[in-house]
């Protein structure tokens, strides 16, 4: 498995994964815009040339807002999310970020556990943020 910077040609595959795994998926145009935005770190994981996961985050000054992360179901619990997050934190820190914020659906226990393993702490809960479901806002100091 390798992690690399996303390129425009990845947008269609990423948008398809968004539709498969996200409650509020980004469109291909939105993914393309994010990949092209110089403030965004957008990374993909590949295995044998197949895109198996991605992560994105936008850095503004010393703060970073975590975007989305997804890993293909048959690659979960095999280190892809960890590899993506490790490389993401290295890249955003190099870009000047000192803090990373994220929002996660509170009932997504697997994601909350992953973020806690990477040192995120709960900042607050936003009631009804995700189509009536609560969001947990988390922070990590780099």
């Amino acid at each position: 498995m390798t992690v690399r910077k996303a390129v425009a040609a990845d947008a269609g595959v990423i948008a398809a994964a968004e539709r498969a795994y996200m409650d509020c998926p980004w469109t291909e145009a939105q993914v393309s815009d994010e990949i092209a935005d110089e403030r965004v770190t957008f990374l993909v994981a590949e295995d044998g040339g197949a895109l198996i996961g991605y992560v994105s985050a936008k850095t503004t000054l010393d703060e970073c807002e975590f975007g989305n992360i997804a890993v293909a179901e048959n690659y979960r619990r095999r280190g892809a999310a960890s590899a993506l997050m490790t490389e993401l934190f290295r890249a955003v820190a190099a870009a000047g970020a000192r803090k990373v914020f994220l929002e996660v659906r509170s009932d997504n226990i697997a994601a909350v556990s992953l973020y806690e393993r990477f040192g995120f702490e709960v900042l607050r809960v936003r009631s009804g943020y995700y189509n009536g479901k609560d969001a947990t806002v988390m922070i990590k100091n780099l």
Side-chain angles (χ1 to χ4, degrees):
M1 179 186 59
T2 59
V3 175
R4 64 167 173 80
K5 186 174 175 166
V7 296
D10 296 322
V13 176
I14 293 168
E18 283 277 313
R19 289 188 300 276
Y21 302 125
M22 300 295 177
D23 290 338
C24 301
W26 291 349
T27 65
E28 186 171 343
Q30 288 170 310
V31 172
S32 292
D33 288 346
E34 290 291 300
I35 291 171
D37 188 332
E38 64 185 31
R39 298 168 298 167
V40 174
T41 301
F42 210 127
L43 304 173
V44 297
E46 290 182 316
D47 186 42
L51 195 147
I52 62 165
Y54 61 92
V55 66
S56 67
K58 183 178 289 186
T59 303
T60 305
L61 301 174
D62 66 344
E63 293 184 353
C64 179
E65 182 181 353
F66 198 90
N68 284 345
I69 184 169
V71 173
E73 287 185 32
N74 55 331
Y75 282 90
R76 292 182 184 168
R77 304 198 67 77
R78 293 175 53 191
S82 293
L84 285 163
M85 289 181 63
T86 298
E87 182 58 24
L88 178 76
F89 296 142
R90 186 206 60 74
V92 301
R98 298 293 164 252
K99 298 178 198 174
V100 180
F101 293 90
L102 64 81
E103 294 158 344
V104 59
R105 210 176 64 222
S106 298
D107 63 355
N108 188 343
I109 303 305
V112 171
S113 295
L114 174 69
Y115 300 142
E116 287 175 338
R117 281 196 318 271
F118 273 89
F120 280 90
E121 297 176 354
V122 174
L123 194 59
R124 66 181 165 274
V125 173
R126 291 186 175 155
S127 297
Y129 185 77
Y130 288 112
N131 297 324
K133 296 186 179 186
D134 293 349
T136 300
V137 179
M138 302 180 85
I139 185 172
K140 172 183 174 65
N141 292 310
L142 297 177

